[in-house]
Amino acid sequence: MNTKIDNYTSFVGEECIAGIRDLAKDLQGTTLLHVNSTSSGGGVAEMLHRLLPLFSDLGLKTRWEVLAGTPLFFQTTKTMHNALQGRDLPLTAEMKREYEAVNRRNAERIDLTADVVVIHDPQPAPFISYRSKKESSWFWRCHIDLSHPNSGVWQFLLEYAKLYDVAIFSSHKFVSDLGLLVAIVAPSIDPLAEKNIDLTHEQIEAVYARYEIPRDKSILLQVSRFDIFKDPLGVIEVYNRVKKQCDCRLILAGGGAADDPEGEAFIAQVREQASLDPQIHILPPQGQTQLTDVEINALQRGADIIIQKSLREGFALTVTEALWKKKPVVATAVGGIPRQVIDGKTGFLSDSITDTTSKVLRLLHDRQLAVALGMAGYKHVRDNFLITRHLEDYLRLMTLIARR
Ligand code: UDP
């Protein structure tokens, strides 16, 4: 794995790297603990794998702990996740008890001593109750879309969130009056990760051949966990409508996250819907657990148009990845997506199946426009959403809090 900050000079320049080193000077030896609920699947795990080695390279002592749960716990936290993203799902007393009990057991098991503790998302939020060293700083990093939260579940979670020193969100849209310090930090991608490095034409073709996807027609792609909020069934409907005017293939590439108990049932529903049409390709194929990062990279690079038809979205790293690959993107204007897709400049925003269909068709018919949007999207990511900017934001925040 690439772990040296200097290796990013070719993307962001020497001045930026020197600035990051400068920020890290006062934080030498700082112990930094991150806690989340899965080591694989989804954007949080994706970013932690890349960020932590760079913090270490910059002289901080980093640790990553993953909360261990029970089936009822993960069912509870998925319900919380869905409710916080706007579904009308209450938490039962039994669920709340399990949530708190699992957190207590994990907080007893995990060494929580660190100068800075970053707790990701609602699953381990109650860890704050077990804060031992008063002088350490605790950040609650919430990655989910809080634009329409179920108020009962949000009030329950807020009791924990309020105890943190800082709450970090991906978008201003999610910030309500929490009564605590709030920071907005956009997520990021790593240009040196296997997910994002340049690939040769042969490497891309090999992945399409491995999954028996002919390169005879335009390819529409959505990469996402199979989750109701990513709306893969809506994407199939878009494809059905596009195909009536312009023959194409659709790839839905995804998988589940270890902390998501709903994934299996939902993917079965998507497979059933897709089985009616051999030009819809669901990956990974049944029986294979997940695609590799290089495979996802190749699928993105080989696609003609990348769709992100999410109904709710924290940020959508899949959009960042697509823009980095200079791909034209059609995405819904939810969560952090409009920060990335500036409508008509770095891609197209859409608000319905009809709108997505017409924008996909427009791009299929106007290749020049598709190339121009893709190029602008790449520059936008280079300037705003690379891992170096993310490190800088964290270092600034740690310095600020340490000085308070
Ligand atoms: N991803 C992956 N395999 C999959 C589905 C998604 O590696 O089968 C990656 C995807 O490339 C992206 C991340 O998981 O890096 C998803 O992050 P995003 O912010 O788009 O959504 P989240 O899953 O966190 O809601």
Side-chain angles (χ1 to χ4, degrees), residues 260-325:
D260 177 7
E262 289 176 0
E264 279 304 307
F266 192 61
I267 192 174
Q269 210 181 324
V270 177
R271 281 193 203 283
E272 192 186 322
Q273 196 71 24
S275 65
L276 307 170
D277 185 336
Q279 286 173 215
I280 304 179
H281 306 267
I282 307 288
L283 298 180
Q286 220 149 6
Q288 183 183 322
T289 49
Q290 77 188 87
L291 298 169
T292 66
D293 285 353
V294 171
E295 286 175 334
I296 293 197
N297 186 345
L299 292 170
Q300 288 168 327
R301 288 185 187 279
D304 293 281
I305 294 175
I306 297 191
I307 299 174
Q308 191 63 50
K309 221 206 131 302
S310 303
L311 306 172
R312 294 278 190 271
E313 192 61 77
F315 186 72
L317 284 180
T318 48
V319 168
T320 333
E321 290 159 7
L323 296 177
W324 179 246
K325 287 153 193 147

Side-chain angles (χ1 to χ4, degrees), residues 2 14 35 91 106 126 153 175-176 188 213 247 266 280 295 366:
N2 211 306
E14 278 173 19
V35 182
L91 292 178
N106 276 275
V153 174
V175 179
S176 48
S188 65
I213 304 171
D247 199 12
F266 192 61
I280 304 179
E295 286 175 334
D366 188 344

Side-chain angles (χ1 to χ4, degrees), residues 241-265:
R241 294 187 192 188
V242 168
K243 205 178 66 164
K244 286 190 186 137
Q245 293 184 51
C246 185
D247 199 12
C248 57
R249 293 183 179 276
L250 171 66
I251 305 174
L252 291 172
D259 59 349
D260 177 7
E262 289 176 0
E264 279 304 307

Side-chain angles (χ1 to χ4, degrees), residues 37 67 69-83 87 89-92 94-96 98-99 102 123 153 257-263:
S37 64
L67 173 146
T70 59
L72 177 58
F73 174 81
F74 287 122
Q75 194 195 326
T76 303
T77 54
K78 183 70 187 193
T79 303
M80 280 176 92
H81 180 97
N82 290 344
R87 291 180 69 193
L89 299 166
L91 292 178
T92 63
E94 189 196 9
M95 284 170 146
K96 288 181 184 172
E98 183 70 355
Y99 175 66
V102 166
Q123 295 92 334
V153 174
D259 59 349
D260 177 7
E262 289 176 0

